[in-house]
Amino acid sequence: MNTQLLPAPPAHKRPDGPGPHAGSGQRGGSGRFAVQHGWRMLRTDLLTVAAWASVAAAVALWLADGGAAGISSPASAVTAAGIVAGLVGMDLVLLMLLLAARIPLIDGTIGHDRALEVHRLLGKPSPYLLLAHGLLIAVGYGMAEGLDPISESVALWVLVPDMWLAFVSMGLFIAVVVTSLVAVRRRFPYEFWYAVHLLTYVAVGTSIPHQFSVGGLFADGTWQRWYWLSICAVTGAALLYFRVVQPLAATSRHRLTVSRVERIAPGVVNIEMTGLQLNRLTGNGGRFFVWRFLARGLWWHSHPFSLSAEPLVVGPDGEGTLRITVRNLGRGSAQLARLRPGTKVAVEGPYGLFGTAARSRDKVVLIGAGIGITPLRALLETTPFAHGDATVLLRGSTEQELYLSGELLESCRRRGVRLFHLIGPRARWDSHSWLPADAVRSGYNLAAYAPDIADADVYICGPSRWAGNVIAEARTAGARPEQIHHERFDW
């Protein structure tokens, strides 16, 4: 079963599995993943069109209700510009909330990482537009009344009902934007940042009243009023259902309880849980769940971890066990090593697109480093491929850092997978390398281990900087962006 595909120093490479021609002539899938990918790209295009259409609709409805007809002077032109900035800014804020709502259609189309990436991108123009809205409105009204913007703002605060809520909303949006900056986030624990980020919902809530109570912008009987009432209601319902109701229902349905905590390496533990209806959690290898362990001092910490093995279902009603593998990467994860059997667990998910739903090719290459190996263990167990059409590369500074390598070896032997252990310190002289130093000195690269990578889906899981180097080399080796799937560990 052991076949050396390429000559290499034994210190950094240990391949296991079939030879390079094992399974040749057997192509898994018969184009099924290409069709799946095509449908997913179509959904992506439709979601993109819908997002842009919502922005266009916000402006078009304002024009249809005679918004431009009121522009008759420089003051009214400035005021109109402020109104348009506010409409577009508010629409972008609602899009941000929908992207963060973990809606299955969005999550299964572009993935959780990509949804949050777009969410963060919208987080820059939306507050600027809302700031422009407030400033331009103050300037426009002030020009019409002969007041400077500060005096006009004070007058609006004092004299106009609900306007003070708009000022409070703007202050909250600014607080959220500032705490979202990477430089600021890293100074505080995730829980602090998350709590402040929840102010977004308060900011949206406090911004809505003045839209309907001030002036005739959303007057009764206008299309604008019904449009904004509808999208606000849909956004609120999506957040309530997918972020609150569904997680509570999943927790109640599965009734997860910690059954065993097993140390497998220094600072690394397997956490096994028992539960009900676990058959509804199968087939999600690689995707992640959000876990809350309902113990003193832990219940308010949320932990995004993937399963490190598919649930083992043994009972007629889906009774069985499941497992996650956790490494001590901070105070929160360190406490999990001391979990006691019997601890109840709340669960949300699965989320993300790091699974079979992202496949576009029949062949597959799985590359993991450190604790990033564990999601690949579950993915290897479930994703379909023909004998000889998969390659697994595990990276660690030492043998101990190849977590669950024994289980992976057994799975690779059973399914006919080429397995490489890439062990050793990194090449410190090469900041772009992800391989061990001796592999770099010998001239090895990703294509040497996976020569068919240009015709395979590539799953990469590990620390962000390391994964970025792997992604860059995969692109150089011919893999297209849609073939590369990356699970981030940062927030």
Side-chain angles (χ1 to χ4, degrees), residues 365-402:
V365 177
L366 310 179
I367 310 172
I371 200 64
I373 292 171
T374 60
L376 303 184
R377 159 72 176 83
L379 180 59
L380 181 64
E381 193 174 354
T382 59
T383 196
F385 51 82
H387 187 93
D389 273 358
T391 302
V392 175
L393 290 83
L394 308 182
R395 175 74 175 95
S397 296
T398 66
E399 188 82 28
Q400 279 190 320
E401 291 184 6
L402 302 185

Side-chain angles (χ1 to χ4, degrees), residues 155-390:
L156 289 171
W157 177 288
V158 174
L159 300 176
V160 179
D162 299 329
M163 186 57 69
W164 66 275
L165 287 173
F167 285 94
V168 171
S169 173
M170 183 53 60
L172 293 174
F173 275 122
I174 292 173
V176 172
V177 170
V178 170
T179 57
S180 297
L181 298 174
V182 173
V184 177
R185 283 192 309 182
R186 288 178 177 172
R187 295 178 180 270
F188 298 99
Y190 169 78
E191 287 74 21
F192 172 83
W193 171 83
Y194 182 77
V196 174
H197 216 64
L198 291 177
L199 292 176
T200 303
Y201 305 122
V202 181
V204 172
T206 54
S207 70
I208 291 174
H210 87 282
Q211 300 177 31
F212 293 92
S213 63
V214 177
L217 184 62
F218 297 156
D220 287 335
T222 62
W223 284 103
Q224 284 193 94
R225 184 179 185 88
W226 288 111
Y227 173 78
W228 286 99
L229 283 173
S230 298
I231 63 174
C232 286
V234 168
T235 302
L239 287 166
L240 179 63
Y241 181 75
F242 293 111
R243 295 300 298 268
V244 179
V245 174
Q246 200 169 70
L248 289 175
T251 298
S252 175
R253 176 173 62 247
H254 298 298
R255 301 181 189 179
L256 294 173
T257 302
V258 174
S259 57
R260 184 170 67 153
V261 179
E262 176 190 18
R263 181 180 180 274
I264 63 169
V268 181
V269 295
N270 281 337
I271 300 175
E272 294 185 2
M273 292 164 269
T274 60
L276 304 176
Q277 299 188 46
L278 298 188
N279 52 307
R280 298 181 65 172
L281 290 176
T282 58
N284 295 304
R287 304 180 72 197
F288 75 93
F289 297 78
V290 177
W291 311 88
R292 291 182 185 272
F293 297 92
L294 307 181
R296 184 177 180 180
L298 292 176
W299 63 269
W300 56 284
H301 288 275
S302 60
H303 302 276
F305 295 129
S306 302
L307 297 178
S308 58
E310 279 294 284
L312 176 62
V313 178
V314 296
D317 295 322
E319 302 96 332
T321 62
L322 56 79
R323 185 188 73 187
I324 60 176
T325 302
V326 179
R327 183 182 178 187
N328 178 3
L329 294 174
R331 185 178 64 178
S333 55
Q335 291 178 305
L336 300 184
R338 298 190 294 273
L339 279 173
R340 295 181 178 179
T343 301
K344 300 299 181 182
V345 185
V347 64
E348 305 173 37
Y351 300 125
L353 204 57
F354 197 76
T356 301
R359 292 278 298 275
S360 63
R361 303 292 194 278
D362 292 332
K363 295 183 178 182
V364 63
V365 177
L366 310 179
I367 310 172
I371 200 64
I373 292 171
T374 60
L376 303 184
R377 159 72 176 83
L379 180 59
L380 181 64
E381 193 174 354
T382 59
T383 196
F385 51 82
H387 187 93
D389 273 358

